[in-house]
Amino acid sequence: MTSADLPLPAALLDLLARARRVVAFSGAGMSAESGVPTFRDAQTGLWARYSPEELATPEAFAADPKLVQDWYAWRMELTARARPNAGHVALAELATRVEVVVVTQNVDGLHAAAGSTDIIELHGRLRWVRTGDRTPVEAPMLGDDGLRRCPESGRLVRPDVVWFGEPLPQGALERAFREARACDLLLAIGTSGLVHPAASVPVAALEAGRSVIEINPDRTPLSDHVTGRLAGQSAQILPGLCAQIGTSCL
Ligand code: OAD
């Protein structure tokens, strides 16, 4: 994709070429082409009758730990089969040419798998940890009661992700806002922009006078406020877009 293929104003194309410090703010749409369903997609099969908001809470885990553990086991299996797509790879390659901080709401680990290194995981990472503390549990023990427990302590395990009503990892959100306010360009990729405080990160960039480009086939609450918008799938758009970033000094 050449710059001529990017439906962006000339001034913004020029900004892309001059950008040296980029924040890639990603949501579930970033991983859609890796086969990981987004939150706004209807859940499939057994999970069709539940919404994430009903399952991703401390209350749901307390009420029915097996249901919540089974849901996350299903999601872990989905993401274990997923591979980074061309969008993840394009961001990792871009970081070899300019400074890129990935601020992701995703818990699938696909940015790291693609080779990105400076990643802020606002909502944690899909892996089992002990209830209460954050000790990773590689291989939980499945008891006769169908509950997954830590093999050493016997305590129930939960995923190391942020649930609704829980605080984000210490310092992650503060750094994400700092990077958004200091960057040359923020790419808002595959996010509905509905879940705060994470969804406020691109807004912070706009309020600081930074340029924000949204990459999403659908419109979102951000769409009317961003500097530029590329309607489409991130795995199709990002390789051509990233190729235009940081090229001015080549
Ligand atoms: P959503 O599922 O809310 O939104 C995904 C967005 O990606 C939508 O706007 C889609 O239109 C768009 N999309 C779909 N396919 C795409 C593609 N191929 N390329 C680009 N965009 C595409 O996911 P998030 O915005 O990430 O929170 O949701 C934010 C948070 O809500 C999640 O982190 C999770 C959820 O509850 C927690 O788990 C705390």
Side-chain angles (χ1 to χ4, degrees), residues 15 24 32 44 57 84 101 110 119 123 126-127 137 146 148 187 194 240:
L15 182 130
T44 56
T57 69
V101 179
L110 289 178
I119 306 171
H123 290 161
L126 261 187
R127 58 181 177 178
V137 177
R148 293 164 179 84
L187 304 176
L194 295 173

Side-chain angles (χ1 to χ4, degrees), residues 27-29 32-33 38-40 53 105-106 123 162 164 190-193 195 215-218 220 232-234:
E33 285 140 290
T38 69
F39 287 87
R40 282 346 109 181
E53 289 77 0
Q105 302 169 90
N106 300 338
H123 290 161
V162 175
F164 289 98
T191 182
S192 58
V195 176
I215 296 115
N216 193 321
D218 300 334
T220 73
Q233 300 189 319
S234 49

Side-chain angles (χ1 to χ4, degrees), residues 84-128:
N85 61 52
H88 296 103
V89 172
L91 291 177
E93 184 282 327
L94 178 62
T96 64
R97 297 190 288 108
V98 299
E99 186 184 329
V100 178
V101 179
V102 173
V103 178
T104 188
Q105 302 169 90
N106 300 338
V107 296
D108 54 33
L110 289 178
H111 283 295
S116 288
T117 50
D118 194 351
I119 306 171
I120 302 173
E121 292 181 321
L122 292 178
H123 290 161
R125 176 76 71 93
L126 261 187
R127 58 181 177 178
W128 295 116

